[in-house]
């Protein structure tokens, strides 16, 4: 079974530049998550999709971050403009169904390590 | 109070030792509980779900204490390969999961 695919693996940009990350979840997984993980901390949820609808984006800094999941499959996360504090690993995860369903096991991609200089 | 709190460690133990650590959660209505393992510079992977009656998977035992609102993970006969960060994950309602900051375990030869 193919896993969650993410790209790029690494990205280095200067502050105020823009960056985009791409995620292809496991086929058939309705729930897709974007997490931000700063070194030494646990993953922090940025946005959660159920199919192509947003379930939770309460912790997404909407003045600079945006995400979409057109057609309920692939997803992109964009940062514009980037700040120094955005340096982190951005993890995409998918699950067959949402939490509480019994099928909420998360499968993570390898992540994108972003460095903002 | 944080939604999910873990002792960051590190727990530094010799091979063969037993190590145990807890995770506390703030929402008494939480229903689902999990332990994920994250190796250095890798993505998290599910280690085990935590059931009300407690459950065991080989050398790993997970327990849930609803009255005191914590879950625990015990590792018996520690192996070098058990060195990792263990993330506690709790469902806060029917659709949201929250991660703890992780407990680091280092098993030394």
């Amino acid at each position: 079974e193919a896993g969650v695919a993410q790209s790029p693996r690494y990205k280095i940009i200067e502050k105020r530049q823009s960056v985009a990350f791409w995620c292809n979840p496991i086929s058939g997984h309705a729930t897709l998550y974007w997490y931000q993980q700063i070194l030494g901390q646990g993953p922090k949820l940025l946005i959660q999709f159920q199919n192509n609808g947003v379930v939770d984006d309460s912790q997404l800094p909407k003045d600079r971050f945006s995400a979409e999941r057109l057609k309920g499959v692939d997803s992109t996360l964009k940062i514009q403009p980037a700040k120094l504090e955005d340096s982190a690993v951005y993890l995409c995860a998918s699950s067959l169904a949402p939490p509480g369903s019994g099928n909420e096991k998360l499968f993570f991609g390898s992540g994108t390590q972003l460095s903002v200089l | 109070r944080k939604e999910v709190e873990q002792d960051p460690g590190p727990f530094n133990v010799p091979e063969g030792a037993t190590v145990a650590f807890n995770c506390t959660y703030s929402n008494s209505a939480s229903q689902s509980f999990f332990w994920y393992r994250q190796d250095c510079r890798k993505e998290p992977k599910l280690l085990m779900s935590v059931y009300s009656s407690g459950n065991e998977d080989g050398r790993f035992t997970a327990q849930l204490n609803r009255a005191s609102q914590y879950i625990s993970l015990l590792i018996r006969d520690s192996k070098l390969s058990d060195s990792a960060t263990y993330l506690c994950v709790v469902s806060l309602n029917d659709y949201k999961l929250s991660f703890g900051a992780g407990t680091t375990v280092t098993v030394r030869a």
Side-chain angles (χ1 to χ4, degrees), chain B:
Chain B
R1 182 181 175 187
K2 290 183 179 179
E3 294 167 339
V4 179
E5 292 197 75
Q6 294 185 247
D7 181 343
F11 288 79
N12 194 326
V13 300
E15 271 188 295
T18 296
V19 60
F21 41 88
N22 295 337
C23 163
T24 59
Y25 58 95
S26 61
N27 190 332
S28 60
S30 296
Q31 292 297 318
S32 303
F33 309 88
F34 310 90
W35 284 105
Y36 277 73
R37 171 194 169 125
Q38 186 170 28
D39 293 316
C40 188
R41 300 186 184 280
K42 297 288 188 180
E43 71 275 17
K45 292 183 179 179
L46 179 66
L47 177 66
M48 58 198 305
S49 302
V50 186
Y51 303 118
S52 297
S53 55
N55 48 303
E56 191 174 302
D57 183 2
R59 298 179 294 104
F60 297 82
T61 301
Q63 297 279 355
L64 167 63
N65 185 318
R66 286 194 182 275
S68 300
Q69 293 183 211
Y70 73 87
I71 63 172
S72 63
L73 183 66
L74 182 146
I75 308 173
R76 287 185 303 277
D77 188 22
S78 298
K79 311 291 185 189
L80 294 176
S81 57
D82 295 334
S83 296
T85 295
Y86 293 85
L87 298 165
C88 170
V89 181
V90 177
S91 71
L92 299 182
N93 51 34
D94 282 345
Y95 63 83
K96 184 178 176 182
L97 296 172
S98 186
F99 279 76
T103 296
T104 299
V105 173
T106 302
V107 182
R108 62 183 188 273

Side-chain angles (χ1 to χ4, degrees), chain A residues 2-116:
Chain A
V4 177
Q6 283 190 252
S7 67
R9 186 73 178 89
Y10 302 94
K11 191 72 178 178
I12 301 174
I13 61 173
E14 295 187 349
K15 60 183 179 184
R16 291 188 288 274
Q17 286 188 320
S18 302
V19 64
F21 313 125
W22 173 81
C23 173
N24 187 6
I26 292 173
S27 178
H29 280 199
T31 313
L32 185 147
Y33 312 76
W34 282 103
Y35 286 92
Q36 179 193 60
Q37 187 172 26
I38 293 172
L39 191 64
Q41 299 181 18
K44 170 190 164 186
L45 179 69
L46 293 175
I47 190 167
Q48 178 180 336
F49 292 95
Q50 183 63 24
N51 297 308
N52 61 349
V54 176
V55 172
D56 185 352
D57 62 356
S58 57
Q59 298 192 91
L60 186 74
K62 297 180 184 65
D63 58 333
R64 299 184 300 107
F65 286 65
S66 64
E68 60 183 13
R69 191 185 183 196
L70 300 175
K71 301 180 181 178
V73 182
D74 292 12
S75 178
T76 55
L77 176 69
K78 297 179 181 178
I79 307 175
Q80 179 180 10
K83 292 185 175 181
L84 297 177
E85 60 261 34
D86 297 333
S87 294
V89 175
Y90 291 84
L91 293 162
C92 178
S94 69
S95 61
L96 199 58
S101 64
N103 286 311
E104 64 267 86
K105 176 181 176 181
L106 297 181
F107 294 82
F108 284 86
S110 299
T112 296
Q113 186 166 339
L114 174 67
S115 296
V116 182

